[in-house]
Amino acid sequence: MREKKSETRRAFSTRAALAVVLAALGLSSAVAASDGEGPVLAPLFTLPNLDGCDVSLADYLGQVVIFEFWASWCHTCTESFPAIHDLQHTYAEQGVALLVLCFDKNEEDARLYLTDNGYQTSNVLWGSLDAVHAVRDLYEVAAVTHAIVIDREGYIRYSGHPAKLTADVLEPWL
């Protein structure tokens, strides 16, 4: 099992590194499975969270990750935010994690919204607006109010509006 996880991590890292290079060249950052069909491998990234600690997607290999593109100024985002948190909380014991890519212009606006509404800040990634936009571009996401589900091996299994991310959509990847 350890050998398979190590192999998967190497493949995940290699494909994600390729995604970064392609993005830097202005080419498509979505890296398809080796046969050209099937799911797309999620590009790796590292960003600081609102607590100042670096968070890397590679650290979540082996878990199912709900990756939400969000901003506190976005009404649709704040409407769907509780449901995404509830979904993650429901499946947390089955290895479901939540990462939030924050598009606020400054981290204090995000922190204020989150703390005022009882949310944690350790899973909310910011760093700088430029860094957030670079990750958005890697994932080819046009706007906030978007969610992605990444399976335990690092493949994107869902990409769409957070309101459509239900237990029925998530459960096949548990």
Side-chain angles (χ1 to χ4, degrees):
M1 180 69 170
R2 178 177 276 171
E3 216 172 271
K4 181 173 172 44
K5 188 172 183 177
S6 178
E7 237 176 74
T8 303
R9 185 179 296 274
R10 276 194 302 276
F12 187 59
S13 297
T14 301
R15 289 186 182 140
L18 178 59
V20 171
V21 170
L22 290 173
L25 295 173
L27 304 172
S28 174
S29 62
V31 181
S34 59
D35 61 3
E37 296 180 15
V40 174
L41 194 62
L44 287 178
F45 64 87
T46 300
L47 282 176
N49 63 17
L50 290 179
D51 297 338
C53 300
D54 282 347
V55 175
S56 177
L57 183 60
D59 296 338
Y60 290 85
L61 186 61
Q63 296 180 56
V64 174
V65 177
I66 299 172
F67 185 32
E68 184 167 15
F69 295 70
W70 176 87
S72 67
W73 48 260
C74 168
H75 180 69
T76 308
C77 296
T78 58
E79 279 186 343
S80 64
F81 209 51
I84 290 292
H85 277 79
D86 290 346
L87 184 63
Q88 183 275 325
H89 182 72
T90 298
Y91 294 102
E93 289 185 15
Q94 291 175 280
V96 176
L98 173 64
L99 291 177
V100 179
L101 186 65
C102 180
F103 285 83
D104 281 43
K105 288 186 180 178
N106 66 67
E107 62 185 293
E108 286 309 312
D109 290 343
R111 185 184 325 283
L112 183 62
Y113 173 87
L114 294 163
T115 56
D116 283 354
N117 289 283
Y119 295 109
Q120 66 179 3
T121 55
S122 61
N123 67 333
V124 179
L125 312 176
W126 192 76
S128 74
L129 203 50
D130 287 341
V132 167
H133 286 169
V135 173
R136 177 203 61 200
D137 293 346
L138 278 175
Y139 282 82
E140 300 176 354
V141 170
V144 294
T145 314
H146 194 89
I148 291 174
V149 173
I150 303 168
D151 73 12
R152 296 178 193 282
E153 293 182 356
Y155 288 94
I156 296 173
R157 298 299 182 162
Y158 171 86
S159 181
H161 195 282
K164 294 182 180 181
L165 179 54
T166 63
D168 290 339
V169 173
L170 185 64
E171 285 177 356
W173 312 117
L174 300 179

